[in-house]
Amino acid sequence: MASPPIISLAEVGLVRGTGPLFTNVDLHIYPRDRVAIVGPNGAGKSSLMACISGVIPPDQGTYFLKPGTRIGMLDQHALDPGDDKLRDRLSKGMDDTEFGRLDANLVHLGLTGDEIVSDCSGGQIRRAQLARCLSLDVDLLMLDEPTNHLDLAVIA
């Protein structure tokens, strides 16, 4: 027997601005699924991901998240500037295992974690955010345009 979905959207819709961004979306995500959301700019891909992750409640339809499901999200927003170190900013809410992975992932992506957030370039911030997401122990990892601001070497 197949595992039940960890997330289900049934006839979900979201209204923004002058009308619906999307309507009647049915989506079921099962353990170990890989899903890609593809569409032109402004079509609502990021908003749909926010609905899937539970950040934005849908305006219509039904949303179900299996109890205990953990979701990690790399969104398109950069970190707010600050005088704290990348490691300190990124490690908030992490357990010891995730923190250990964070340090390893930062180094793998060419960072130390000691960089000051406000001194970092857009590419450094994006690599740091990616390191955090890859360090989390989650059931679903959602990456919204993960290669923005990255050079070819880091993408590879």
Side-chain angles (χ1 to χ4, degrees), residues 22-109:
F22 50 83
T23 59
N24 300 317
V25 172
D26 290 317
L27 175 67
H28 309 286
I29 300 175
Y30 295 86
R32 312 234 4 113
D33 272 358
R34 293 175 186 243
V35 178
I37 300 171
V38 181
N41 289 343
K45 299 179 301 291
S46 296
S47 296
L48 178 58
M49 290 177 76
C51 279
I52 293 168
S53 67
V55 172
I56 298 175
D59 294 318
Q60 69 181 47
T62 305
Y63 172 83
F64 169 77
L65 176 67
K66 180 181 170 188
T69 300
R70 290 188 63 200
I71 300 172
M73 177 74 176
L74 174 66
D75 60 25
Q76 294 184 43
H77 300 90
L79 296 175
D80 292 329
D83 293 332
D84 49 336
K85 293 180 181 180
L86 276 176
R87 179 185 301 104
D88 296 338
R89 178 79 65 90
L90 298 169
S91 64
K92 290 180 180 162
M94 288 185 154
D95 63 28
D96 290 342
T97 303
E98 292 171 332
F99 184 79
R101 281 189 229 138
L102 174 63
D103 272 343
N105 285 328
L106 285 168
V107 169
H108 185 73
L109 292 171

